[in-house]
Amino acid sequence: MRQLVVIGNGMVGHRLVEAVLSRDAGTPWHITVLGEEPRPAYDRVALSSYFDGAGEEELRLADLRRHPGVELLLGEPATAIDRAGRTVTTAAGRVLGYDALVLATGSSAFVPPVPGRDLPGCHVYRTIEDLEHITATAQAATGRADAAGVVIGGGLLGLEAANALKLLGMQPHVVEMAPWLMPRQVDEGGGAVLGRLVADTGVACHTAAALTGIEPAPHGGGLRVLLGEPGPDRRSVDAGIVVFSVGVRPRDELARAAGLETGPRGGVAVDSACRTGDPHIYAVGECASAQGTVYGLIAPGNAMAEVAAENIAGGTAVFSGGDTSTKLKLLGVDVASFGDAQGDTDGALEVVLNDAPGGRYAKLVVSDDATTLLGGVLVGDASAYAGLRPLVGRDLPGDPLGLIAPDRGGSGGGAGVAALPDDAQVCSCNAVTKSAIRTAIAEGSTDIPAVKACTRAGTSCGSCVPMLKSLLADSGIEQSSALCEHFDHSRAALVEIVTATGVATFSELIARHGRGRGCDVCKPAVASILASLGGGHILEGEQAALQDTNDHFLANIQRNGTYSVVPRVPGGEITPDRLIAIGEVAREFGLYTKITGAQRIDLLGARVEQLPAVWARLVDAGFESGHAYGKALRTVKSCVGSTWCRYGVQDSVAMAIRLELRYRGLRSPHKLKSAVSGCARECAEARGKDFGVIATERGWNLYVGGNGGFTPRHAELLAGDLDDETLVRYIDRFLMFYIRTADRLQRTAAWIEQLDGGLDHLHAVVVEDGLGIAADLEQAMARHTAGYADEWRGVLEDPEKLARFVSFANAPEAPDPTIAFDVERDQPVPAGPVPLGMPAVPAGAAEPAGALG
Amino acid sequence: MSTPTLPAIPDRSWVAACGSDRLIPERGAAVLLPDGGQVAVFRTYDDVLYAVGNIDPFSGAAVMARGIVGDRAGEPTVASPMLKQVFSLRTGRCLDDPGVGLPIYAVEPREGVVHVCTRPDEAST
């Protein structure tokens, strides 16, 4: 296995590992990640939300340790790179060989060399440890007269830090050397509006102010921040805390020591492939200098991570400069800048809307002939950003003032997606153009999940999803979650209604929450909801009339109107006696017999009136319904596992049987399939199932969201190395969460795709119990398990239900005269004309004798 | 009810399907005609009886009685259990494919027994 070592576990290092894994289904890379910080990667951009009540858990990014091929060494920074020997030495003395090495060491906060910068109470703002120190200092300081906090630096991070101090109960001051806040992102006019909006939030702004020193305050043990040169103009602010947030410096010391070239402003020099001077070493994010530029934003960092991952995987991706467009909400104030925001292009013209009383500033920078959009700044209201950013470098769709003027009839501001040219990028995170999205829609992607799956648009930051919606709407596809003409609600909403109101019948539900009398869409959907919430036998009372024919006759209808019968064979394990019993039933009733793909036996060709007699024999032999007819758990397939197999590491058969017996009869939005493999060779094909379990040396890996069918999908790892009980608990939660929130006929793959946050969100709910509903989900499953009874036994024991299994109301035992069989390969098969949709047999072609018998 | 109060159509005969109480609302029943033909009989929630041919014209299988009963914009319907095409119970016409339809049959209760005419309404054939 090839070795990839990643130095740095910040956001970009994290993204790089995810990007390598996503290109790497067969895990040929073993990835070791070295993190200097004692905790796994977290969302540094959202750091101030730590003070807003977000715990470390909420900031944490998806856990890379879920992937079997990833090793995360935390609190263990790299200390040296030996390029000749291709090894990395860590602080713990470990020596790691590598085939490819990625430097993602990020940057450190820059502290200006002013006197007093090392005094107690001075901090930087970069890591969770920094936040902990800031919190401790702030808590000691609040309540005192000097409960002010000074942030040095009025840029993006400085305003974030000011927000943090505010949330800690301090009076924040911001000191900015430039004449206005966020000078790198916004122009003077925008800066003026921004300054007022920020001041309105209670932050004292000191612009055009130079920090010249910090000294102990004369009274009370705080700090005095000195602004301006000594003399009559010098001002000072007394504060309990000082936070430096003036900028960052690339962490390139390891690379320098290893003799790698660095850029003019520091940072490891990389080429357009994100490769350093050493072909085995890449650098990404804030520690890299790409064509002389060090990017301090997350979007270019992510782009570099994707490029490096592609090239590590043998591709030829190119990083052609980062998009430094930004849209943020700082202290509750919307700020966005994109393209040439400062109007640096020769001859650039500006169109400005400065609504000072309304707290709104918008500027577009256009070419000298006013035909091309070059960039812009939005302060106070950045809703036009999504529509404007893709237009940079392109022809303006109309009067530029019209694009930023308010009251655009609820269009959300900016240029509508209709105004975008076909080659404009709608999703800048994944570089997806408008034409690619339209093509996907034309080729059958008719909803957001399908467009996401097909194009990857909207799968990263999600800000373009509204544009995807309007593209779908423009194509004439109405996005409605209504189940059908009888209910305006989605299936998930109906689950909530039924749960909350306790409505127990379809008639009551449609009378109170729908219209008309229902149809073949809503009736089975409601029947499934009632059944999965514990509605008793599915043919009880009014429920019987809701079921489609398969559920109504507890068998699968076939093309000639006969049914197939599939007894449950848990885990695919069957005794010779039971195998013989099935054979005898098939022989007695003249049924066609076939082994299914799910390790059980299908008996085909039974007429409605034969079903009870067939099942009476099967129940006597110890069988029960296999639910092959239902949107329900079908089967849990298994390999023979460690009992027999020389490679097996766990007893996959016992686990498959346990799972199948636990979830049998569970009604769900679509069919559910599962499998358990006894080792990584995966003979049970578990990753092709809705929930698949694969044995490891230490327990079980749980994969979710796989399916075969029209669009095959591999299941993805949800949690690894679980013991038996934890595995079952996680599956309980996963299945109940799916049943409660999925749409009708939405399999688990599509459901996970459309979950806000996707697999990470699912992980948060199922593994971390982020919504606090895990106990509720487990109880719901416990109710299902306790309430399970074999549906076929229930029919055989109830004359009322049994009476429905007749061919004709006026001739209950008479066989349907339209049903006839031929014999093919010694078994009965439906007779009759070539069915619709099949190629016609050419005249004169050989036809089996008696085909129309 | 004592004697049949049927419209006097001499060339038609009727067959008794089942007791009215055996016909569950919104759930069909198949009826075998003397000539081997089949009719699907339905009772809607508002207690109106309908009868249409039991053979699904799309699949050729005798399964219409096993379809789900409902409505489309107020029109009482049954959906084929085979490929889900929806038919009007009143006119027999397929609402998803106007060129296709089911024959419709006269149906009514007499003395607690549902009776179906053995020949379809001519207009529907």
Side-chain angles (χ1 to χ4, degrees):
Chain A
M1 201 180 271
R2 291 176 296 167
Q3 300 293 326
L4 172 64
V5 175
V6 180
I7 304 180
N9 187 220
M11 293 177 76
V12 174
H14 180 90
R15 172 67 170 253
L16 175 110
V17 175
E18 287 195 321
V20 169
L21 291 170
S22 76
R23 285 167 173 79
D24 186 17
T27 64
W29 285 103
H30 178 267
I31 306 177
T32 310
V33 181
L34 299 173
E36 184 179 62
E37 293 183 56
R39 63 193 87 242
Y42 52 90
D43 186 352
R44 212 184 294 283
V45 173
L47 212 49
S48 71
S49 62
Y50 181 79
F51 298 108
D52 215 354
E56 191 196 326
E57 295 272 306
E58 277 170 66
L59 289 174
R60 190 174 289 172
L61 304 178
D63 194 349
L64 295 174
R65 290 170 290 197
R66 289 191 281 129
H67 299 276
V70 178
E71 196 174 354
L72 200 50
L73 304 176
L74 298 172
E76 190 171 341
T79 53
I81 301 167
D82 173 3
R83 288 168 53 197
R86 274 203 251 147
T87 61
V88 172
T89 306
T90 74
R94 212 186 300 238
V95 178
L96 302 163
Y98 65 83
D99 297 292
L101 172 65
V102 178
L103 303 174
T105 44
S107 57
S108 54
F110 172 66
V111 178
V114 294
R117 63 181 187 156
D118 296 326
L119 287 172
C122 290
H123 298 275
V124 296
Y125 182 85
R126 178 146 189 96
T127 65
I128 287 183
E129 279 68 37
D130 295 335
L131 300 195
E132 286 168 347
H133 295 143
I134 289 170
T135 309
T137 306
Q139 277 165 355
T142 46
R144 298 204 321 232
D146 57 1
V150 173
V151 176
I152 310 298
L156 204 152
L157 262 180
L159 294 183
E160 277 273 302
N163 190 34
L165 295 183
K166 189 163 168 256
L167 292 166
L168 285 169
M170 306 195 83
Q171 161 62 50
H173 291 252
V174 171
V175 174
E176 170 57 49
M177 199 185 297
W180 62 86
L181 299 175
M182 293 186 71
R184 291 180 65 174
Q185 282 81 25
V186 308
D187 62 345
E188 185 171 3
V193 171
L194 177 63
R196 271 193 298 277
L197 292 170
V198 168
D200 285 349
T201 69
V203 176
C205 302
H206 309 266
T207 51
L211 172 73
T212 46
I214 300 167
E215 54 188 41
H219 313 288
L223 297 166
R224 173 161 290 181
V225 178
L226 304 171
L227 306 176
E229 296 303 324
D233 290 339
R234 173 169 260 188
R235 287 174 290 151
S236 66
V237 181
D238 286 353
I241 187 169
V242 174
V243 178
F244 288 103
S245 197
V246 289
V248 294
R249 292 291 179 270
R251 295 277 303 270
D252 55 11
E253 61 273 12
L254 264 181
R256 285 178 193 272
L260 289 169
E261 196 190 329
T262 52
R265 294 188 191 84
V268 193
V270 294
D271 61 13
S272 60
C274 293
R275 212 176 263 128
T276 67
D278 181 327
H280 297 288
I281 306 181
Y282 298 77
V284 293
E286 293 180 317
C287 72
S289 172
Q291 288 98 47
T293 303
V294 176
Y295 293 94
L297 291 168
I298 184 62
N302 281 342
M304 293 168 89
E306 292 287 339
V307 167
E310 179 68 21
N311 294 328
I312 287 167
T316 53
V318 168
F319 177 72
S320 53
D323 182 358
T324 53
S325 301
T326 15
K327 174 172 178 273
L328 302 148
K329 202 180 203 68
L330 293 166
L331 291 153
V333 180
D334 277 335
V335 182
S337 86
F338 50 95
D340 177 11
Q342 308 285 11
D344 294 335
T345 312
D346 276 350
L349 304 174
E350 296 188 350
V351 180
V352 177
L353 186 136
N354 193 347
D355 176 9
R360 223 176 144 264
Y361 176 89
K363 178 180 81 171
L364 294 185
V365 178
V366 301
S367 59
D368 52 3
D369 57 357
T371 58
T372 307
L373 181 66
L374 300 175
V377 176
L378 302 167
V379 176
D381 174 7
S383 55
Y385 174 79
L388 289 171
R389 188 206 44 77
L391 279 176
V392 170
R394 298 171 181 283
D395 287 350
L396 283 160
D399 168 27
L401 189 60
L403 295 174
I404 50 176
D407 298 320
R408 292 179 40 79
S411 67
V417 67
L420 294 180
D422 274 350
D423 60 341
Q425 277 185 11
V426 168
C427 171
S428 58
C429 300
N430 294 297
V432 186
T433 61
K434 179 177 166 183
S435 73
I437 292 162
R438 286 174 48 163
T439 304
I441 293 171
E443 286 171 357
S445 300
T446 55
D447 54 18
I448 297 288
V451 173
K452 281 183 171 179
C454 187
T455 65
R456 288 201 72 201
T459 54
S460 297
C461 80
S463 72
C464 63
V465 170
M467 296 222 273
L468 303 184
K469 282 186 183 150
S470 27
L471 281 172
L472 280 163
D474 291 350
S475 318
I477 296 164
E478 214 168 288
Q479 291 301 296
S480 167
S481 60
L483 195 56
C484 62
E485 69 172 82
H486 304 101
F487 288 98
D488 293 334
H489 310 277
S490 66
R491 180 190 175 277
L494 287 176
V495 173
E496 279 181 28
I497 289 171
V498 171
T499 311
T501 62
V503 166
T505 66
F506 178 82
S507 290
E508 196 184 344
L509 188 67
I510 199 167
R512 284 168 57 179
H513 301 282
R515 65 183 75 84
R517 279 309 298 172
C519 63
D520 61 312
V521 171
C522 60
K523 281 186 163 182
V526 171
S528 162
I529 292 169
L530 294 174
S532 50
L533 296 178
H537 198 284
I538 63 163
L539 299 183
E540 201 63 56
E542 195 201 68
Q543 279 196 64
L546 306 179
Q547 311 294 352
D548 72 15
T549 189
N550 285 1
D551 274 311
H552 194 83
F553 293 106
L554 306 174
N556 286 43
I557 197 165
Q558 303 299 318
R559 69 181 334 138
N560 63 348
T562 62
Y563 289 82
S564 83
V565 169
V566 185
R568 184 168 298 290
V569 180
E573 182 185 73
I574 188 164
T575 62
D577 281 348
R578 287 201 178 178
L579 200 52
I580 288 165
I582 289 183
E584 283 175 347
V585 169
R587 188 166 55 194
E588 183 178 330
F589 290 89
L591 303 176
Y592 172 94
T593 307
K594 190 174 187 307
I595 310 289
T596 73
Q599 302 189 331
R600 37 197 202 172
I601 298 166
D602 203 350
L603 310 175
L604 293 102
R607 298 188 309 271
V608 165
E609 73 277 13
Q610 291 179 307
L611 289 170
V614 168
W615 270 104
R617 292 284 310 276
L618 290 170
V619 168
D620 272 352
F623 287 102
E624 60 179 15
S625 166
H627 295 99
Y629 46 83
K631 304 294 180 228
L633 177 84
R634 295 288 172 82
T635 183
V636 183
K637 186 174 169 177
S638 69
C639 65
V640 292
S642 56
T643 311
W644 289 94
C645 177
R646 63 207 154 110
Y647 298 116
V649 293
Q650 304 284 351
D651 187 351
S652 51
V653 178
M655 179 52 75
I657 292 172
R658 177 174 173 185
L659 295 178
E660 184 159 343
L661 295 182
R662 183 168 183 81
Y663 303 119
R664 62 187 163 176
L666 180 67
R667 290 303 204 276
S668 52
H670 209 309
K671 63 186 169 191
L672 281 170
K673 294 187 172 185
S674 179
V676 181
S677 276
C679 79
R681 284 170 185 74
E682 240 284 73
C683 295
E685 298 166 318
R687 289 196 65 196
K689 307 298 183 193
D690 294 283
F691 59 104
V693 178
I694 302 177
T696 71
E697 298 280 353
R698 283 162 292 187
W700 307 98
N701 283 350
L702 172 59
Y703 294 81
V704 294
N707 56 246
F710 191 76
T711 311
R713 292 282 295 265
H714 266 145
E716 293 181 89
L717 187 69
L718 183 67
D721 290 332
L722 306 172
D723 60 45
D724 290 9
E725 302 314 314
T726 310
L727 173 72
V728 169
R729 209 162 61 238
Y730 286 178
I731 299 174
D732 280 4
R733 296 174 184 179
F734 166 73
L735 290 177
M736 269 301 159
F737 189 45
Y738 165 65
I739 286 169
R740 288 191 177 176
T741 61
D743 262 332
R744 171 185 169 265
L745 299 187
Q746 184 175 45
R747 283 197 71 174
T748 53
W751 169 69
I752 294 168
E753 170 68 27
Q754 61 80 52
L755 278 181
D756 206 358
L759 188 66
D760 289 341
H761 177 65
L762 188 62
H763 186 264
V765 173
V766 171
V767 178
E768 297 154 26
D769 191 16
L771 295 183
I773 59 170
D776 186 36
L777 297 172
E778 286 172 31
Q779 280 161 21
M781 190 60 82
R783 280 195 297 277
H784 161 76
T785 323
Y788 169 81
D790 175 25
E791 286 169 358
W792 260 109
R793 185 181 285 276
V795 167
L796 296 175
E797 289 171 352
D798 181 353
E800 191 61 31
K801 296 189 181 80
L802 211 45
R804 297 183 196 138
F805 288 81
V806 296
S807 50
F808 297 102
N810 59 341
E813 298 295 322
D816 174 354
T818 70
I819 295 173
F821 294 98
D822 291 333
V823 173
E824 220 171 82
R825 293 178 298 278
D826 304 325
Q827 291 215 74
V829 294
V834 178
L836 288 178
M838 301 299 281
V841 179
E847 201 161 314
L852 298 174
Chain B
M1 242 183 265
S2 51
T3 50
T5 55
L6 289 174
I9 304 170
D11 62 339
R12 289 189 175 185
S13 57
W14 294 71
V15 62
C18 60
S20 293
D21 57 340
R22 300 302 304 162
L23 196 56
I24 303 166
E26 303 191 328
R27 194 78 234 184
V31 178
L32 188 60
L33 300 179
D35 65 356
Q38 302 182 31
V39 177
V41 183
F42 302 91
R43 179 205 299 284
T44 50
Y45 75 105
D46 51 359
D47 210 24
V48 178
L49 294 175
Y50 296 97
V52 297
N54 195 35
I55 309 269
D56 170 18
F58 293 95
S59 64
V63 293
M64 291 310 300
R66 302 177 214 158
I68 288 180
V69 175
D71 79 285
R72 189 176 279 188
E75 179 80 357
T77 57
V78 61
S80 164
M82 205 62 87
L83 296 173
K84 315 294 181 194
Q85 292 91 352
V86 172
F87 297 83
S88 163
L89 285 176
R90 271 187 331 106
T91 65
R93 182 171 318 145
C94 177
L95 302 180
D96 296 322
D97 188 348
V100 181
L102 300 169
I104 55 172
Y105 292 78
V107 57
E108 60 177 57
R110 295 182 203 162
E111 296 173 352
V113 175
V114 175
H115 281 71
V116 184
C117 189
T118 57
R119 290 169 64 185
D121 283 6
E122 271 156 31
S124 71
T125 54

